Amino acid sequence: MRAIQITEFGGPEVLRLADVPAPVPGPGQVLIDVTRAGVNYADTHQAENSYLAAAKLPMIPGGEVAGTVDGRRVVALTSDGGGYAEQAVAEAGAVYDIPDGVDDATALGLVVQGATAWLLLRKSVHLEPGESVVVHAAAGGVGTLAVQLAKAWGAGRVIATASSEDKRRLALDLGADVALDPAVPDLKAALIEANEGRRVDTVLEMTGGEVTDRSLAALAPFGRLAFYGMASRKPPSPIQAPSLLRHSTAVIGMWLPHVFTLPGDVMRRAMTELFELAATGALRVVPGGEYGLSEARAAHEALRSRRTAGKLVLDPSR
């Protein structure tokens, strides 16, 4: 089958099209004929081996696919990567039927980015009605969905940040109350001003560096910052526990794979709710561009240059 194979770690240049043997499902796994593969920012970290889970070479990247299994339309989280290919393997418990009225790209936007936004708001910061929410990278895959979910779930004020005027306009179109540039000279002051002079209650942050530092400093007492990525590849300043105590604030990390350790199949509950919202038009996955499988390098280049907004997908047929 055709697949993107990585044989050395590095930037987008290491993504190369190859002919490789088709995967063979093991016990409890299913083989999916892939119609679309999702592209996530985490994939760029995986390609250079800077992700939370160490990668092994040779490797087929990609953690999510949409396709068919025995005639059923499904979206799935793949087993140990393998998504950038014509066929992929997934654990049966990580496969979700796509309902009528939801297309493949929308399903792919929900299974990682949508579930991440759902978990950040429901499980990490435990958003309460009326609270303010700062969504960094609000034009990205997670950000576009987090803005919409926060508004739907009663946030008092949604403050979006994005790096360009077009991206900030998109965040406002999706329901943000205000959108600002995170590169302003004093981000802490800008966030407080955007919240009408009050410190903010919750922050969803995946940038790292100064953005994390300034956002933490802008939290109100009992405010929560959920950290789920480091797109800048710059770590924030070390956090001192006495400082959290002094300000009654919290910092929560979130990595999607840990959802499968929770009782009650929380992931399936999240997907059911997300699918219902998408099918009724209450939640929109913003299309970020469709690339051929042979164009995976271009997709990663676009992601890393911050030229993209919304959800990127690969078409394995070209």
Side-chain angles (χ1 to χ4, degrees):
M1 69 173 185
R2 296 165 71 248
I4 295 296
Q5 188 177 58
I6 295 174
T7 57
E8 59 180 324
F9 294 121
E13 73 281 355
V14 303
L15 277 67
R16 300 186 179 95
L17 191 65
D19 287 318
V20 301
V24 178
Q29 296 181 325
V30 296
L31 181 66
I32 300 170
D33 292 317
V34 180
T35 53
R36 293 293 185 276
V39 180
N40 292 306
Y41 203 89
D43 300 345
T44 71
H45 284 285
Q46 191 178 43
E48 65 184 15
N49 201 24
S50 62
Y51 193 48
L52 289 173
K56 296 180 180 179
L57 298 175
M59 171 184 65
I60 298 172
E64 59 184 27
V65 296
T68 58
V69 175
D70 299 327
R72 295 161 44 212
R73 292 180 61 235
V74 300
V75 66
L77 298 173
T78 59
S79 302
D80 298 321
Y84 292 12
E86 293 179 315
Q87 292 184 304
V89 167
E91 301 293 331
V95 177
Y96 309 94
D97 288 317
I98 302 175
D100 293 339
V102 175
D103 60 29
D104 286 354
T106 295
L108 284 168
L110 297 178
V111 75
V112 170
Q113 282 115 335
T116 296
W118 191 99
L119 286 162
L120 287 168
L121 292 166
R122 291 280 202 221
K123 300 290 287 184
S124 296
V125 303
H126 296 278
L127 179 67
E128 296 184 10
E131 289 190 317
S132 54
V133 183
V134 175
V135 180
H136 289 301
V142 175
T144 52
L145 293 163
V147 166
Q148 296 175 75
L149 290 175
K151 291 299 289 187
W153 293 340
R157 193 161 178 83
V158 176
I159 301 161
T161 77
S163 59
S164 72
E165 186 61 38
D166 286 345
K167 290 182 177 182
R168 292 191 287 273
R169 189 177 302 113
L170 172 61
L172 293 171
D173 289 343
L174 293 172
D177 295 289
V178 62
L180 55 89
D181 187 342
V184 294
D186 190 341
L187 180 58
K188 171 188 171 183
L191 293 175
I192 293 172
E193 180 182 358
N195 197 36
E196 300 178 321
R198 300 183 301 273
R199 289 174 174 268
V200 298
D201 297 307
T202 65
V203 178
L204 310 185
E205 157 56 357
M206 54 79 68
T207 306
E210 277 289 318
V211 173
T212 308
D213 296 344
R214 296 296 87 206
S215 299
L216 180 59
L219 285 179
F222 299 100
R224 292 88 70 201
L225 183 149
F227 189 72
Y228 68 101
M230 200 167 64
S232 71
R233 290 167 165 78
K234 296 178 181 178
S237 300
I239 295 169
Q240 303 298 322
S243 178
L244 299 179
L245 178 65
R246 179 183 179 190
H247 299 287
S248 294
T249 52
V251 177
I252 308 104
M254 203 287 283
W255 188 31
L256 183 63
H258 288 143
V259 70
F260 293 102
T261 69
L262 298 175
D265 203 346
V266 172
M267 181 68 177
R268 195 164 298 277
R269 180 157 58 93
M271 289 304 298
T272 298
E273 184 172 1
L274 292 168
F275 276 143
E276 289 174 352
L277 290 169
T280 61
L283 183 66
R284 175 164 67 97
V285 172
V286 175
E290 183 172 291
Y291 297 76
L293 186 64
S294 61
E295 300 171 307
R297 173 176 175 173
H300 277 224
E301 289 172 343
L303 263 183
R304 293 192 60 161
S305 68
R306 297 189 178 184
R307 297 197 307 268
T308 65
K311 181 62 184 175
L312 277 65
V313 299
L314 301 178
D315 179 355
S317 70
R318 59 185 178 88

